[in-house]
Structures are given as C-alpha cells and as structure tokens.
Amino acid sequence: MESFTESPFILVVISGLATLMLVVLYVQTRKKPVLPFIFLGVLLTIIPILTDAWITTDREAIKLSVQRLARSVQLNDVKKTLQFAHPDAPHVYSAIEKEMPRYDFTWCVVSGIKKIEIGPFAKAAKVTFVVAVNVAAQLGPEGVGFREISLELAKDPQGDWKITNYRHYTPGSRSF
C-alpha cells in the first residue's frame, strides 16, 4: 500500500485511461447508464492524487528531511543543521558543531538516494545517499566532488526523523 501512496502514477494512468474510454463510449452511444461509470472513473483518478497529497509516508518524510539537511549545510547554517540531530544523540550535536565550521559550502545537493531502510515499528531508519558539493576546507579536500552519506535516524518525541549517527566518505572507497 505504501508504494501507492508514494507514487500513485500507475493508478492515475489506469483509471484515467479507463475514464477516457468510458467518455469515448458515451460520446459515441449517448447511453445514459454510462454516466455513473464516468463519474466513478473520475473519482478513481482523483482519489490517488489526493491521497498522495494528504499522506506523507516515512520514506517521503526521510527524503524531505535529507533534502532540508542538505540545504542547511549548503547555507553553512550550523544552528539549523543542529536541528536535525536527535535529542538523545549529544555526540551528533558535538560532531556537527566541531566539523561544520571547518568547511565553507558553496553548494550541497542530494544527487541520489541509494537506500532507505526503515526498522520495525518505524522507529528507526538508515538512509544512504550521495551529495554533490562545492566546498572550501581548512584541512582536507576542496572543490567540487561527491560524498556518500550514511545517516542513522530515529523519530523524536514529535515524530520527526532526526540523526542519531552519521558517516560520510567518497562513494567509491567506503573508507572514512
């Protein structure tokens, strides 16, 4: 069911085509008993779109959180980036406060999410994604490059996904 709420494209296409065929049938025959089926077809086309707009799945929430995190990193906003740390993970707070000031990002864009694994009861998750960055560093590599990021997430008391641990490395090497 989650795949339908994340991407209702298939349902919309199928119901849209069925509705179109019913409209063509009605135009050619002018049979009034077809009208309720056209109305039903329109409903079956609209309902998946509305469901997609109203329901945010855990996967969608994680993707949105990752995008917002990348935006705060791009803005070099340590305070905003700290908001993505889980309250029960003080080591994440200290790591962000220590690490971020060493870098000056011109841009940081999520170029692809490789994997999202949601744990039992949707309380914890692990997401792996690649970011494209342009960075000036006090020590270490500078310039344009790609970084693979692995985040361990947990829901905070408000139900938002927050970082409990993270790692980043070059996508090919997997070395820290």
Side-chain angles (χ1 to χ4, degrees):
M1 188 63 183
E2 189 171 285
S3 62
F4 290 128
T5 57
E6 283 185 22
S7 179
F9 179 75
I10 293 172
L11 292 176
V12 171
V13 168
I14 291 170
S15 58
L17 288 174
T19 304
L20 182 64
M21 290 180 355
L22 288 169
V23 168
V24 169
L25 178 68
Y26 175 75
V27 168
Q28 289 181 348
T29 63
R30 298 284 185 204
K31 301 271 184 177
K32 295 212 187 252
V34 177
L35 289 175
F37 293 103
I38 292 174
F39 178 72
L40 181 65
V42 169
L43 277 178
L44 290 175
T45 304
I46 292 173
I47 287 174
I49 295 169
L50 295 176
T51 302
D52 182 48
W54 287 333
I55 295 175
T56 301
T57 65
D58 286 322
R59 233 176 249 299
E60 290 171 329
I62 289 170
K63 287 178 184 177
L64 184 61
S65 184
V66 165
Q67 295 289 344
R68 289 179 177 161
L69 173 62
R71 198 170 312 124
S72 72
V73 169
Q74 176 176 313
L75 296 172
N76 299 296
D77 191 343
V78 177
K79 186 177 176 183
K80 188 168 186 147
T81 304
L82 286 171
Q83 293 174 0
F84 291 94
H86 197 281
D88 295 337
H91 64 283
V92 173
Y93 280 96
S94 61
I96 291 171
E97 284 180 325
K98 180 181 171 188
E99 194 172 348
M100 269 195 75
R102 293 189 220 158
Y103 301 100
D104 183 29
F105 291 91
T106 306
W107 49 270
C108 178
V109 178
V110 176
S111 62
I113 295 182
K114 288 185 164 188
K115 175 175 52 171
I116 298 176
E117 296 172 348
I118 299 174
F121 308 110
K123 297 291 183 195
K126 186 174 182 180
V127 60
T128 304
F129 58 97
V130 177
V131 291
V133 295
N134 187 11
V135 63
Q138 291 175 357
L139 297 170
E142 291 189 26
V144 177
F146 293 92
R147 269 306 207 206
E148 185 170 296
I149 313 291
S150 180
L151 301 178
E152 293 174 23
L153 306 167
K155 284 190 176 177
D156 69 358
Q158 289 78 31
D160 296 324
W161 289 100
K162 302 286 181 156
I163 303 167
T164 57
N165 204 3
Y166 73 94
R167 294 185 178 110
H168 53 86
Y169 32 81
T170 58
S173 72
R174 287 271 205 198
S175 61
F176 299 104

